[in-house]
Amino acid sequence: VFLMGASGKLLLGAGFLVMAHAALSVVQQRHYVRLMEQEFLRPSTDIVVELFLGAAVCVWGVFVSASPLVSIHAVDKLACRTWESLTTRAEFRSFNHRGRALGPNQGGADPARRHHVPEVLSPLEMVD
Protein backbone atom coordinates (compact mmCIF):
# COMPACT_ATOMS: atom_id res chain seq x y z
CA VAL A 1 0.00 0.00 0.00
CA PHE A 2 2.85 2.39 0.81
CA LEU A 3 4.43 1.67 -2.57
CA MET A 4 1.22 2.62 -4.35
CA GLY A 5 1.08 5.92 -2.47
CA ALA A 6 4.73 6.73 -3.15
CA SER A 7 4.47 5.86 -6.84
CA GLY A 8 1.33 7.98 -7.11
CA LYS A 9 3.14 10.94 -5.58
CA LEU A 10 6.03 10.43 -7.98
CA LEU A 11 3.60 10.38 -10.91
CA LEU A 12 1.95 13.52 -9.59
CA GLY A 13 5.29 15.29 -9.29
CA ALA A 14 6.36 14.15 -12.75
CA GLY A 15 3.09 15.40 -14.22
CA PHE A 16 3.59 18.82 -12.64
CA LEU A 17 7.13 18.96 -13.98
CA VAL A 18 5.91 18.10 -17.50
CA MET A 19 3.24 20.83 -17.30
CA ALA A 20 5.80 23.34 -16.00
CA HIS A 21 8.08 22.46 -18.91
CA ALA A 22 5.17 23.01 -21.31
CA ALA A 23 4.52 26.42 -19.77
CA LEU A 24 8.20 27.40 -20.15
CA SER A 25 8.10 26.18 -23.76
CA VAL A 26 5.15 28.48 -24.47
CA VAL A 27 7.04 31.43 -22.99
CA GLN A 28 10.11 30.62 -25.09
CA GLN A 29 7.99 30.25 -28.23
CA ARG A 30 6.31 33.61 -27.64
CA HIS A 31 9.72 35.24 -27.15
CA TYR A 32 11.02 33.66 -30.35
CA VAL A 33 7.95 34.79 -32.33
CA ARG A 34 8.43 38.37 -31.05
CA LEU A 35 12.06 38.34 -32.11
CA MET A 36 11.02 37.22 -35.58
CA GLU A 37 8.43 40.07 -35.60
CA GLN A 38 5.52 37.73 -36.23
CA GLU A 39 2.14 37.45 -34.53
CA PHE A 40 1.70 34.78 -31.86
CA LEU A 41 -1.49 32.89 -32.70
CA ARG A 42 -1.33 29.74 -30.60
CA PRO A 43 1.21 27.40 -29.03
CA SER A 44 2.60 24.66 -31.24
CA THR A 45 0.99 21.23 -31.32
CA ASP A 46 3.83 19.49 -29.49
CA ILE A 47 3.45 21.89 -26.54
CA VAL A 48 -0.30 21.28 -26.36
CA VAL A 49 0.24 17.50 -26.48
CA GLU A 50 2.88 17.83 -23.73
CA LEU A 51 0.45 19.81 -21.59
CA PHE A 52 -2.34 17.24 -21.95
CA LEU A 53 0.12 14.41 -21.31
CA GLY A 54 1.28 16.11 -18.09
CA ALA A 55 -2.30 16.62 -16.97
CA ALA A 56 -3.11 12.96 -17.65
CA VAL A 57 -0.06 11.83 -15.65
CA CYS A 58 -1.18 14.09 -12.76
CA VAL A 59 -4.68 12.61 -12.77
CA TRP A 60 -3.23 9.10 -12.91
CA GLY A 61 -0.98 9.93 -9.96
CA VAL A 62 -3.92 11.17 -7.93
CA PHE A 63 -5.87 7.98 -8.64
CA VAL A 64 -2.93 5.78 -7.69
CA SER A 65 -2.09 7.66 -4.48
CA ALA A 66 -5.69 8.02 -3.23
CA SER A 67 -6.81 5.74 -0.45
CA PRO A 68 -9.74 3.41 -1.13
CA LEU A 69 -13.23 4.76 -0.54
CA VAL A 70 -15.01 3.72 2.63
CA SER A 71 -18.75 3.26 2.66
CA ILE A 72 -20.88 5.30 5.06
CA HIS A 73 -23.32 3.29 7.14
CA ALA A 74 -26.04 5.79 8.00
CA VAL A 75 -28.56 3.03 8.69
CA ASP A 76 -26.91 2.23 12.03
CA LYS A 77 -27.25 5.83 13.25
CA LEU A 78 -30.78 6.30 11.97
CA ALA A 79 -32.21 2.96 13.17
CA CYS A 80 -32.92 4.20 16.71
CA ARG A 81 -34.64 7.45 15.63
CA THR A 82 -38.35 7.83 14.98
CA TRP A 83 -39.83 9.45 11.88
CA GLU A 84 -40.95 12.49 13.89
CA SER A 85 -37.46 13.12 15.22
CA LEU A 86 -36.03 12.94 11.68
CA THR A 87 -38.36 15.62 10.31
CA THR A 88 -38.18 17.98 13.33
CA ARG A 89 -35.68 20.79 12.93
CA ALA A 90 -35.67 22.84 16.10
CA GLU A 91 -32.97 25.20 14.82
CA PHE A 92 -35.42 26.66 12.28
CA ARG A 93 -38.00 27.69 14.86
CA SER A 94 -38.15 31.43 15.36
CA PHE A 95 -40.32 33.22 17.91
CA ASN A 96 -38.96 36.68 17.26
CA HIS A 97 -40.01 37.48 13.70
CA ARG A 98 -41.38 40.34 11.58
CA GLY A 99 -44.98 39.28 12.07
CA ARG A 100 -44.92 40.99 15.46
CA ALA A 101 -44.62 44.37 13.67
CA LEU A 102 -48.03 43.87 12.05
CA GLY A 103 -49.73 44.56 15.37
CA PRO A 104 -51.38 42.57 18.13
CA ASN A 105 -53.59 40.67 15.70
CA GLN A 106 -50.66 39.70 13.49
CA GLY A 107 -52.44 40.28 10.23
CA GLY A 108 -56.05 39.91 11.32
CA ALA A 109 -55.91 36.79 13.49
CA ASP A 110 -58.15 36.59 16.52
CA PRO A 111 -56.14 37.80 19.56
CA ALA A 112 -57.88 35.28 21.83
CA ARG A 113 -56.67 32.37 19.71
CA ARG A 114 -53.17 33.76 19.21
CA HIS A 115 -50.34 31.62 20.60
CA HIS A 116 -48.21 33.01 23.36
CA VAL A 117 -44.96 34.38 21.96
CA PRO A 118 -42.16 34.72 24.52
CA GLU A 119 -40.72 38.19 24.88
CA VAL A 120 -37.26 38.48 23.40
CA LEU A 121 -35.12 41.52 24.07
CA SER A 122 -33.81 43.48 21.13
CA PRO A 123 -30.06 44.11 20.98
CA LEU A 124 -30.59 47.72 22.08
CA GLU A 125 -32.52 46.64 25.18
CA MET A 126 -29.77 44.18 26.15
CA VAL A 127 -27.21 47.00 26.40
CA ASP A 128 -29.09 48.82 29.17
Side-chain angles (χ1 to χ4, degrees), residues 64-79:
V64 170
S65 66
S67 61
L69 298 176
V70 179
S71 61
I72 300 173
H73 300 287
V75 176
D76 299 337
K77 294 177 184 175
L78 299 176

Side-chain angles (χ1 to χ4, degrees), residues 26 29-30 33 39-48:
V26 169
Q29 183 184 8
R30 287 188 70 174
V33 169
E39 184 181 353
F40 180 79
L41 299 175
R42 61 181 174 86
S44 63
T45 308
D46 61 335
I47 296 175
V48 173

Side-chain angles (χ1 to χ4, degrees), residues 20-37:
H21 182 265
L24 287 174
S25 298
V26 169
V27 171
Q28 286 178 345
Q29 183 184 8
R30 287 188 70 174
H31 183 69
Y32 176 74
V33 169
R34 276 195 195 144
L35 287 177
M36 300 303 285
E37 296 178 354

Side-chain angles (χ1 to χ4, degrees), residues 14-128:
F16 277 125
L17 285 176
V18 169
M19 288 194 302
H21 182 265
L24 287 174
S25 298
V26 169
V27 171
Q28 286 178 345
Q29 183 184 8
R30 287 188 70 174
H31 183 69
Y32 176 74
V33 169
R34 276 195 195 144
L35 287 177
M36 300 303 285
E37 296 178 354
Q38 296 176 356
E39 184 181 353
F40 180 79
L41 299 175
R42 61 181 174 86
S44 63
T45 308
D46 61 335
I47 296 175
V48 173
V49 169
E50 183 180 0
L51 180 67
F52 282 121
L53 182 68
V57 170
C58 281
V59 169
W60 187 22
V62 168
F63 283 144
V64 170
S65 66
S67 61
L69 298 176
V70 179
S71 61
I72 300 173
H73 300 287
V75 176
D76 299 337
K77 294 177 184 175
L78 299 176
C80 60
R81 295 185 68 184
T82 64
W83 178 254
E84 290 80 17
S85 68
L86 290 174
T87 59
T88 303
R89 291 181 173 85
E91 61 270 9
F92 288 112
R93 293 182 185 163
S94 175
F95 297 105
N96 191 11
H97 53 81
R98 287 182 240 158
R100 187 177 289 178
L102 296 175
N105 293 339
Q106 290 193 8
D110 185 17
R113 296 188 335 185
R114 191 171 62 135
H115 296 290
H116 174 69
V117 178
E119 186 64 34
V120 179
L121 296 176
S122 72
L124 294 176
E125 293 173 336
M126 290 181 186
V127 175
D128 292 336

